Amino acid sequence: MKRNLGLTAAFRHAKWLAALGLTLAALALSLVLDLSGAIQPYRLKTLDALFRRVPLPAASPEVVVVTVDQPDLDFFKTQGITWPWRREVYAPLIDYCRWAGAKAVIFDILFTEASSYGPEDDNRLGQAAAAAGNVVFAFPLSREEKGANPEEAALLHKAGLQIPGPRPRDPVGYRSMSTPVRPLLDGAGALGNVECKPDEDGIYRRVPLVLPFKDRWLPMLPFAAFHLSGNPGPLKFVEDGLLVGNLRIPLDDKGNLLLKYRGPSRSHKRFSAANIIASEARRQHGHPPIYPPADFAGKWVLVGLTAPGLMDLKASPVAAVYPGVEVHATLLDNLLRGDFLRPAPPWAMWAGMLVLSAAMVLVVLFFSGLAATLTGFAALALAYLGLVIGAFHYGWWADPVLPGVALGLSFTLAAAFSYATEGRQKLYIRRMFGQYMSETVISHLLEHPEKLQLGGERRRVTLFFSDLAGFTTISERLSAETVVSLLNDYLSSMTEIILDEAGTVDKFEGDAIMAFWGAPLDQADQAARACRAALKQQAALQDLNRQFAGLNLPPLSMRIGLNTGDAIVGNLGSAKRFDYTVIGDTVNLASRLEGVNKFYGSHIMASEATAAECAGTVEFRELDLVAVKGKEQAIRVFEVLGLTGELEPELIKRRQDFAQALELYRQGRFPEAGAGFEAILTENPEDGPARTYRDRCRKFMEAPPPVDWDTVFRPEGK
């Protein structure tokens, strides 16, 4: 027993070591794939899927978009104004927003070339901007080396920021810029850069807040407006981003902010540029405006181009075609609300990968069956996906791809390892025991192969022994081929019944069968299973006898002995050759009871222990007190009659009559007892136990037993 426990512990220890190694291997391979860049495209696509499938927070009503769309171009064309519009056309838009109380007017339109309509055109727009004091104009940085720009110093003076703290990595290196024309440069309340690179696949998911240029930091257009009118306080780079007053903005190592889109295009409220300009004209003439001033009061107004021909359309996670001005609106929205999409910390991702990989490996190694492992894989994948979706809803991006790769690798590695080691072992076990054990028992051994190590344990079991009465005599009258065929048919039928009742066939000895219940599986109803198997076998034997009769073969008669008790169960034998068997006094008694049947003419004899465990499920008839060979103490033995609720009334009455006659017999009232047994035989001439007791009564009437007669029967031989 101790040896077996030690082997079990060693087996499990080896499995735990294998699980650790496989988990680390899966994580190492995942790291290699991550560093190679092979996963990055899929990581970005899953982020896009989250944006499109997970409900997003509503857009801020503080941010509105004024568009120059195709209807606006068409309207002004009817007025004789073709594209590009005169600069002074935009001045009424600024004037109306100033009158309505807009927080800022932000132009995502470049005015870096002098107006073709002359300086007065630029001056009119510059004057409107200066009067408002909250207009933000755009400029683009460039990676190309250009000639000297006389306005560069003025722009750096007005827009450049000094930001202390650890500097983010500069992946681009801008060398020049295009500045707004001088009147706009002077009239602007702030200036912001609009040049930035999309991700590798051309989709705008992240933008920089500030970009380095010479000795200054230049803000992106929305951040310039936020810094101008939001009164955010001093700026400072910190380890995980940019600190703006009390607002901590998360940035990656390149200084980029991951945008938290609010939905598809038009998520922010839109207004027509032409209608705003017309509203200002109507206001100047005393007419009600098209848009009421409340639509712009306290709002951050972004002005951009959305007409397809103007080419300010970009790809975003939420749509393949997305106006560039709405990318800026998204950034401003995130800044104003302080609502950012933060990438999960690397340590959290690797911790999740460790948990997923380890759990997957343990499921494969410690749970047998394809259904169990696939269920475990699906459960872990769905659990992590649910975590990813929940985290995204609350503003965290937990990459599902790399952990998913780790999960898949751990499943693959563990499955391959299991097949290479345990798979062969399980195949060997199945082949070795498939003929002797039920599928349930084999499955248990596959889950606990340590039980097949040499050694045994004490278990409560029910033993079954069967033998064909007089088979040796019958076989002498038949050819060898006929004997083998008959025996094979008989053993096949009987073995199938034992396996159907989840029993274990221990061995065959000629026509004899040894089987047991209660090991290796614990079976609370082991005794009832053994009795059911015995009854089914007797019924099956009658069917076989009818078949044999048609072939002119003699009928067979089977005796069965059953006993329940403690025994040693396990693999017994040598280190190279052993059998899964059971030994002990319980086994010996079951074997003796099988042979005792012949003294009573009975077919199924069970010990008192077996009968006691079948109360309420199996019906018995008490036969006698028997002291088998090698035993001084007598045991009470019973004949198995049938299952509870299935006995015929005639058999129930016969059992009652037999019990009354048996009581008279034990009282020494042999004439009355003999008469009782004779009455049973009159109705049932084939009742072997009644015939046995009738003959005993006749014998004792002729030669009474001694005065100290204890009624115990002591058979000779088996």
Coordinates of all heavy atoms in Angstrom, one line a residue, residues 226-278:
F226 N -6.8 72.6 -26.6 CA -7.1 72.2 -25.2 C -6.1 72.9 -24.3 O -6.6 73.4 -23.3 CB -6.8 70.7 -25.1 CG -6.9 70.1 -23.7 CD1 -8.1 70.0 -23.1 CD2 -5.8 69.7 -23.0 CE1 -8.2 69.5 -21.8 CE2 -5.9 69.2 -21.7 CZ -7.1 69.1 -21.1
H227 N -4.9 73.1 -24.7 CA -3.9 73.8 -23.9 C -4.2 75.3 -23.9 O -4.0 76.0 -22.9 CB -2.5 73.6 -24.5 CG -1.4 74.0 -23.5 ND1 -0.7 75.2 -23.7 CD2 -1.0 73.5 -22.3 CE1 0.2 75.3 -22.7 NE2 0.0 74.3 -21.9
L228 N -4.8 75.8 -25.0 CA -5.2 77.2 -25.1 C -6.4 77.6 -24.2 O -6.3 78.5 -23.4 CB -5.5 77.6 -26.5 CG -6.2 79.0 -26.7 CD1 -5.2 80.1 -26.4 CD2 -6.7 79.1 -28.2
S229 N -7.5 76.8 -24.3 CA -8.7 77.2 -23.7 C -9.1 76.3 -22.5 O -10.1 76.6 -21.8 CB -9.9 77.2 -24.7 OG -9.6 78.1 -25.8
G230 N -8.4 75.2 -22.3 CA -8.8 74.3 -21.3 C -8.2 74.7 -19.9 O -8.5 74.1 -18.9
N231 N -7.2 75.6 -20.0 CA -6.5 76.0 -18.8 C -6.0 74.8 -18.0 O -6.3 74.6 -16.8 CB -7.4 76.9 -17.8 CG -7.8 78.2 -18.5 OD1 -6.9 78.8 -19.2 ND2 -9.1 78.5 -18.4
P232 N -5.2 73.9 -18.6 CA -4.9 72.7 -18.0 C -3.8 72.8 -17.0 O -3.6 71.8 -16.2 CB -4.5 71.8 -19.2 CG -3.9 72.8 -20.1 CD -4.7 74.0 -20.0
G233 N -3.0 73.8 -17.0 CA -1.8 73.9 -16.0 C -0.5 73.5 -16.7 O -0.5 73.3 -17.9
P234 N 0.5 73.4 -15.9 CA 1.9 73.1 -16.5 C 1.9 71.7 -17.1 O 1.2 70.8 -16.7 CB 2.8 73.3 -15.3 CG 1.9 73.0 -14.1 CD 0.6 73.6 -14.5
L235 N 2.9 71.5 -18.0 CA 3.1 70.2 -18.6 C 4.4 69.6 -18.1 O 5.4 70.2 -17.8 CB 3.3 70.4 -20.2 CG 2.1 71.2 -20.9 CD1 2.5 71.3 -22.3 CD2 0.8 70.5 -20.7
K236 N 4.3 68.2 -18.0 CA 5.5 67.5 -17.6 C 5.4 66.1 -18.1 O 4.4 65.4 -17.9 CB 5.6 67.5 -16.1 CG 6.8 66.8 -15.5 CD 6.8 66.8 -14.0 CE 8.1 66.1 -13.4 NZ 8.1 66.1 -12.0
F237 N 6.5 65.6 -18.7 CA 6.6 64.2 -19.0 C 6.8 63.3 -17.8 O 7.6 63.7 -16.9 CB 7.7 63.9 -20.0 CG 7.4 64.3 -21.4 CD1 8.2 65.3 -22.1 CD2 6.3 63.8 -22.1 CE1 7.9 65.6 -23.4 CE2 6.0 64.1 -23.4 CZ 6.8 65.1 -24.0
V238 N 6.0 62.3 -17.7 CA 6.2 61.3 -16.6 C 6.4 59.9 -17.2 O 6.4 59.8 -18.4 CB 5.0 61.3 -15.6 CG1 4.9 62.6 -14.8 CG2 3.7 61.0 -16.4
E239 N 6.7 59.0 -16.4 CA 7.1 57.7 -16.9 C 6.1 57.0 -17.8 O 6.5 56.4 -18.8 CB 7.3 56.7 -15.7 CG 7.9 55.3 -16.1 CD 8.1 54.5 -14.9 OE1 8.0 54.9 -13.8 OE2 8.4 53.3 -15.1
D240 N 4.8 57.2 -17.6 CA 3.8 56.5 -18.4 C 3.0 57.5 -19.2 O 1.9 57.1 -19.7 CB 2.9 55.7 -17.5 CG 2.2 56.6 -16.5 OD1 2.6 57.7 -16.3 OD2 1.2 56.1 -15.8
G241 N 3.5 58.7 -19.4 CA 2.7 59.6 -20.2 C 3.1 61.1 -20.0 O 4.2 61.5 -19.7
L242 N 2.0 61.9 -20.2 CA 2.2 63.4 -20.0 C 1.3 63.9 -18.9 O 0.1 63.6 -19.0 CB 1.9 64.1 -21.4 CG 2.0 65.6 -21.4 CD1 3.5 66.0 -21.2 CD2 1.5 66.1 -22.7
L243 N 1.8 64.6 -18.0 CA 1.1 65.2 -16.9 C 0.7 66.6 -17.3 O 1.6 67.5 -17.5 CB 1.9 65.2 -15.6 CG 1.1 65.5 -14.3 CD1 0.0 64.4 -14.1 CD2 2.0 65.5 -13.2
V244 N -0.6 66.9 -17.4 CA -1.1 68.2 -17.8 C -1.9 68.7 -16.6 O -3.1 68.4 -16.4 CB -2.0 68.2 -19.1 CG1 -2.4 69.6 -19.5 CG2 -1.2 67.5 -20.2
G245 N -1.3 69.5 -15.8 CA -1.9 69.9 -14.5 C -2.1 68.7 -13.7 O -1.1 68.0 -13.3
N246 N -3.4 68.4 -13.3 CA -3.7 67.2 -12.6 C -4.1 66.0 -13.5 O -4.4 64.9 -13.0 CB -4.8 67.5 -11.6 CG -4.3 68.4 -10.5 OD1 -3.2 68.4 -10.1 ND2 -5.2 69.3 -10.1
L247 N -4.1 66.2 -14.8 CA -4.6 65.2 -15.7 C -3.4 64.4 -16.2 O -2.4 65.0 -16.8 CB -5.3 65.9 -16.9 CG -5.8 64.9 -18.0 CD1 -6.8 64.0 -17.5 CD2 -6.3 65.7 -19.2
R248 N -3.4 63.1 -16.0 CA -2.4 62.2 -16.5 C -2.8 61.6 -17.8 O -3.8 60.8 -17.8 CB -2.0 61.2 -15.4 CG -0.8 60.3 -15.8 CD -0.6 59.3 -14.7 NE -0.1 59.9 -13.5 CZ 1.2 60.0 -13.2 NH1 2.1 59.6 -14.0 NH2 1.5 60.6 -12.0
I249 N -2.1 61.9 -18.9 CA -2.5 61.3 -20.2 C -1.6 60.2 -20.5 O -0.4 60.4 -20.6 CB -2.4 62.4 -21.2 CG1 -3.3 63.6 -20.8 CG2 -2.8 61.9 -22.6 CD1 -3.1 64.8 -21.7
P250 N -2.1 59.0 -20.7 CA -1.2 57.8 -21.0 C -0.7 57.9 -22.4 O -1.4 58.0 -23.4 CB -2.2 56.6 -20.8 CG -3.5 57.2 -21.1 CD -3.5 58.6 -20.7
L251 N 0.6 57.7 -22.5 CA 1.3 57.7 -23.8 C 2.2 56.5 -23.9 O 2.7 56.0 -22.9 CB 2.2 59.0 -24.0 CG 1.5 60.3 -23.9 CD1 2.6 61.4 -24.0 CD2 0.4 60.5 -24.9
D252 N 2.4 56.0 -25.1 CA 3.3 54.8 -25.3 C 4.7 55.4 -25.3 O 5.0 56.6 -25.2 CB 2.9 54.0 -26.5 CG 3.0 54.8 -27.8 OD1 3.7 55.9 -27.8 OD2 2.4 54.4 -28.8
D253 N 5.7 54.5 -25.6 CA 7.1 54.9 -25.5 C 7.5 55.8 -26.7 O 8.5 56.4 -26.6 CB 8.0 53.6 -25.5 CG 7.8 52.8 -26.8 OD1 6.8 53.0 -27.5 OD2 8.6 51.9 -27.0
K254 N 6.6 55.9 -27.7 CA 6.9 56.9 -28.8 C 6.1 58.2 -28.6 O 6.1 59.0 -29.5 CB 6.4 56.2 -30.1 CG 7.2 55.0 -30.5 CD 6.7 54.4 -31.8 CE 7.5 53.1 -32.1 NZ 7.0 52.5 -33.4
G255 N 5.4 58.3 -27.5 CA 4.7 59.6 -27.2 C 3.3 59.6 -27.8 O 2.7 60.7 -27.9
N256 N 2.8 58.4 -28.2 CA 1.5 58.4 -28.9 C 0.4 58.1 -27.9 O 0.6 57.3 -27.0 CB 1.5 57.4 -30.0 CG 2.4 57.8 -31.2 OD1 2.5 58.9 -31.5 ND2 3.0 56.8 -31.7
L257 N -0.8 58.7 -28.1 CA -2.0 58.4 -27.3 C -2.9 57.5 -28.1 O -3.2 57.8 -29.3 CB -2.7 59.7 -27.0 CG -4.1 59.5 -26.4 CD1 -4.0 59.0 -25.0 CD2 -4.8 60.9 -26.3
L258 N -3.3 56.4 -27.5 CA -4.3 55.5 -28.2 C -5.6 56.1 -28.1 O -6.2 56.3 -27.0 CB -4.2 54.1 -27.5 CG -5.1 53.0 -28.1 CD1 -4.6 52.7 -29.5 CD2 -5.0 51.8 -27.2
L259 N -6.2 56.4 -29.3 CA -7.5 57.1 -29.3 C -8.6 56.2 -28.9 O -8.6 55.0 -29.2 CB -7.8 57.6 -30.7 CG -6.9 58.7 -31.3 CD1 -7.2 58.9 -32.8 CD2 -7.0 60.0 -30.5
K260 N -9.6 56.8 -28.1 CA -10.7 56.0 -27.7 C -11.9 56.6 -28.6 O -12.6 57.5 -28.2 CB -11.0 56.2 -26.2 CG -12.1 55.3 -25.7 CD -12.2 55.5 -24.2 CE -13.2 54.5 -23.6 NZ -13.3 54.6 -22.1
Y261 N -12.1 55.9 -29.7 CA -13.2 56.4 -30.6 C -14.5 56.2 -29.9 O -14.8 55.3 -29.1 CB -13.1 55.6 -31.9 CG -12.0 56.0 -32.8 CD1 -10.8 55.5 -32.8 CD2 -12.3 57.0 -33.8 CE1 -9.7 55.9 -33.6 CE2 -11.3 57.4 -34.7 CZ -10.0 56.8 -34.6 OH -9.0 57.3 -35.4
R262 N -15.4 57.1 -30.3 CA -16.8 57.1 -29.8 C -17.8 56.4 -30.6 O -19.0 56.3 -30.2 CB -17.2 58.6 -29.5 CG -16.3 59.4 -28.6 CD -16.0 58.7 -27.3 NE -15.4 59.6 -26.4 CZ -14.8 59.2 -25.2 NH1 -14.9 57.9 -24.9 NH2 -14.3 60.1 -24.4
G263 N -17.4 56.0 -31.8 CA -18.3 55.3 -32.7 C -18.0 55.7 -34.1 O -17.0 56.2 -34.4
P264 N -18.9 55.3 -35.0 CA -18.7 55.6 -36.5 C -18.7 57.1 -36.7 O -18.9 57.9 -35.9 CB -19.8 54.9 -37.1 CG -20.9 54.8 -36.1 CD -20.2 54.7 -34.8
S265 N -18.5 57.4 -38.0 CA -18.6 58.8 -38.4 C -19.9 59.4 -38.0 O -20.9 58.8 -38.0 CB -18.3 58.9 -39.9 OG -18.4 60.3 -40.3
R266 N -19.9 60.8 -37.7 CA -21.1 61.5 -37.3 C -21.4 61.2 -35.9 O -22.6 61.6 -35.4 CB -22.3 61.3 -38.2 CG -22.0 61.7 -39.7 CD -23.3 61.5 -40.5 NE -23.0 61.9 -41.9 CZ -23.3 63.1 -42.4 NH1 -23.8 64.0 -41.6 NH2 -23.0 63.4 -43.6
S267 N -20.6 60.6 -35.1 CA -20.9 60.4 -33.7 C -20.9 61.8 -33.0 O -21.7 62.0 -32.0 CB -19.8 59.5 -33.0 OG -19.9 58.2 -33.5
H268 N -20.0 62.7 -33.4 CA -20.1 64.0 -32.9 C -21.1 64.8 -33.7 O -21.1 64.6 -34.9 CB -18.7 64.7 -32.9 CG -17.8 64.1 -31.9 ND1 -16.9 63.0 -32.2 CD2 -17.5 64.4 -30.6 CE1 -16.2 62.7 -31.2 NE2 -16.5 63.5 -30.2
K269 N -21.8 65.7 -33.1 CA -22.8 66.5 -33.8 C -22.2 67.3 -34.9 O -21.2 68.0 -34.7 CB -23.6 67.4 -32.9 CG -24.8 68.0 -33.5 CD -25.7 68.7 -32.4 CE -27.0 69.2 -33.0 NZ -27.8 69.9 -32.0
R270 N -22.8 67.3 -36.1 CA -22.3 68.0 -37.3 C -23.1 69.2 -37.6 O -24.3 69.2 -37.5 CB -22.3 67.0 -38.5 CG -21.0 66.2 -38.6 CD -21.0 65.6 -40.0 NE -19.9 64.7 -40.2 CZ -19.6 64.2 -41.4 NH1 -20.3 64.5 -42.5 NH2 -18.6 63.4 -41.5
F271 N -22.4 70.2 -38.2 CA -23.1 71.4 -38.7 C -22.5 71.7 -40.1 O -21.3 71.5 -40.3 CB -22.9 72.6 -37.8 CG -23.6 72.4 -36.4 CD1 -22.8 71.8 -35.4 CD2 -24.9 72.6 -36.2 CE1 -23.4 71.6 -34.1 CE2 -25.5 72.4 -35.0 CZ -24.7 71.9 -33.9
S272 N -23.3 72.3 -40.9 CA -22.8 72.7 -42.3 C -22.1 74.1 -42.2 O -22.7 75.0 -41.6 CB -24.0 72.8 -43.2 OG -23.7 73.5 -44.4
A273 N -20.9 74.2 -42.8 CA -20.2 75.4 -42.8 C -21.0 76.5 -43.5 O -21.1 77.7 -43.1 CB -18.9 75.2 -43.5
A274 N -21.6 76.1 -44.6 CA -22.4 77.1 -45.4 C -23.6 77.7 -44.6 O -23.9 78.9 -44.6 CB -22.9 76.5 -46.7
N275 N -24.2 76.8 -43.8 CA -25.3 77.3 -43.0 C -24.9 78.2 -41.8 O -25.6 79.1 -41.4 CB -26.1 76.1 -42.4 CG -27.0 75.4 -43.5 OD1 -27.2 76.0 -44.5 ND2 -27.4 74.1 -43.2
I276 N -23.7 77.9 -41.3 CA -23.2 78.8 -40.2 C -22.9 80.2 -40.8 O -23.2 81.2 -40.2 CB -22.0 78.2 -39.5 CG1 -22.4 76.9 -38.8 CG2 -21.4 79.2 -38.5 CD1 -21.2 76.2 -38.1
I277 N -22.3 80.2 -42.0 CA -21.9 81.5 -42.6 C -23.2 82.2 -43.0 O -23.3 83.4 -42.8 CB -21.1 81.2 -43.9 CG1 -19.7 80.6 -43.5 CG2 -20.9 82.5 -44.7 CD1 -18.9 80.0 -44.7
A278 N -24.2 81.5 -43.4 CA -25.5 82.1 -43.7 C -26.2 82.6 -42.4 O -26.9 83.6 -42.4 CB -26.4 81.1 -44.4

